[in-house]
Amino acid sequence: MAEGARFRLYGRPFWGSAIVEAQLAWYGLPFDYDAVDDLFQSAAARAALAPMNPLAQVPTLVLPDGRVLTESAAITLHLADATGRDDLVPRADAAERPAFLRWLVFLVANLYPTFTYADDPQRFVRDAAAAKAFAEAVEDYRRRLWGIVESAAGAPWFLGARFSALDLYVAVMTHWRPGRPWFETDAPKLAAIAQRAGAEPRLRSVWLHNFPKDFGA
Ligand SMILES: N[C@@H](CCC(=O)N[C@@H](CS)C(=O)NCC(=O)O)C(=O)O
């Protein structure tokens, strides 16, 4: 990577950009943070992001050479390739690699879309009462999905002995609905992983930036 080259992360505290912000901080990669307004509320924020990401979502990452990368899983794999490091992504020949890929894709392909559909359900179901019922069904489905992830979780980290980007996903996503108290009772292995990742000194500034109330700011 060229000296002085910087990434630009379009993000919003508490949102999924925290997963990428944590990785940039972990690797010590220099980046600028472009704070995006609430994409559900602001047409201007959506319009500003759309040329880079047609879905107008965060995370959106501009690489130091100007190329745009969206999709947190693609970003996760790319940053490991670009740094040549395996501390967040097991290498292709590592024993943990298949499980890493399986659960990375499970999180982004199954769990993450439950937020897409339930955060603003009237984008998908116009009638208000039907949208409410739809959102409740999606929230139930999400709890079921988390139950499946809980069954696969190891200790002390998701993959067992080794830390990985999956732990960052768990640390961030367990702040979202159904919320930490639910995880503590219904998904205690995930709650413990999130707790441990939350205590990681290298990530303290990222957690404070994204979840100030939970980190005593
Ligand atoms: N598949 C994407 C999902 C990104 C995503 O859903 N981001 C949310 C914030 S956590 C967002 O920007 N939502 C706005 C919208 O969907 O309109 C990824 O893994 O990066």
Side-chain angles (χ1 to χ4, degrees), residues 15-16 39-40 55-59 71-73 108 112 116 123 176:
W15 290 26
L39 292 162
F40 295 101
L55 287 179
Q57 291 181 331
V58 298
E71 299 301 328
S72 60
V108 296
Y112 215 146
T116 310
R123 289 195 294 189
W176 304 344

Side-chain angles (χ1 to χ4, degrees), residues 84-162:
R85 283 169 53 173
D86 71 346
D87 34 347
L88 294 184
V89 176
R91 282 194 209 288
D93 59 357
E96 301 93 345
R97 175 79 168 195
F100 175 83
L101 291 175
R102 176 181 179 185
W103 294 107
L104 176 69
V105 173
F106 190 97
L107 288 170
V108 296
N110 295 317
L111 260 152
Y112 215 146
T114 66
F115 294 96
T116 310
Y117 296 122
D119 278 350
D120 182 5
Q122 279 193 279
R123 289 195 294 189
F124 303 98
V125 179
R126 295 228 164 71
D127 174 75
K132 186 168 174 285
F134 169 70
E136 282 166 9
V138 173
E139 303 276 337
D140 283 347
Y141 181 59
R142 182 188 306 128
R143 283 188 283 270
R144 181 172 156 235
L145 292 172
W146 275 128
I148 295 170
V149 180
E150 169 76 1
S151 308
W157 303 112
F158 191 87
L159 292 175
R162 67 150 296 163

